């Protein structure tokens, strides 16, 4: 069986969509948000409309987000 991971924002300041859609985790990458910042490990998440974002792995450790597993048969 294959499972997909989705990002659930749980902290009030965590990034979330008005429609409540949970983005799918599509990978883990090193990402540099700005030239003045260091690269950091991030989850790449994608929404149904094709837009995407990067969520630092530390967002899970700090409790801002949870990973939700959905199994597809």
């Amino acid at each position: 069986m294959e499972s997909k991971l989705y990002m659930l924002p749980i902290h009030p300041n965590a990034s979330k969509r008005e429609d409540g859609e949970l983005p799918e985790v599509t990978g883990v990458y090193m990402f540099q948000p700005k030239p003045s910042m260091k690269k950091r490990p991030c989850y790449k998440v994608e929404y149904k409309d094709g837009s995407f974002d990067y969520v630092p792995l530390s967002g899970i450790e700090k409790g801002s987000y949870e990973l939700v597993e959905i199994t597809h048969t």
Side-chain angles (χ1 to χ4, degrees):
M1 267 189 281
E2 184 176 293
S3 297
K4 290 188 177 188
L5 289 177
Y6 294 85
M7 188 73 59
L8 174 65
I10 55 175
H11 190 275
N13 295 331
S15 176
K16 46 187 119 163
R17 289 207 163 173
E18 287 184 25
D19 64 4
E21 178 188 349
L22 299 182
E24 181 181 343
V25 176
T26 59
V28 177
Y29 298 89
M30 291 300 290
F31 181 68
Q32 185 176 11
K34 298 178 185 177
S36 61
M37 299 175 77
K38 290 184 176 182
K39 286 185 179 181
R40 56 188 174 179
C42 293
Y43 292 100
K44 184 176 182 180
V45 297
E46 187 171 336
Y47 294 90
K48 290 178 185 173
D49 65 6
S51 63
F52 61 90
D53 198 2
Y54 292 90
V55 178
L57 269 62
S58 63
I60 300 291
E61 296 165 2
K62 292 178 181 177
S64 297
Y65 298 89
E66 281 185 9
L67 293 175
V68 177
E69 177 184 19
I70 299 177
T71 302
H72 300 274
T73 56

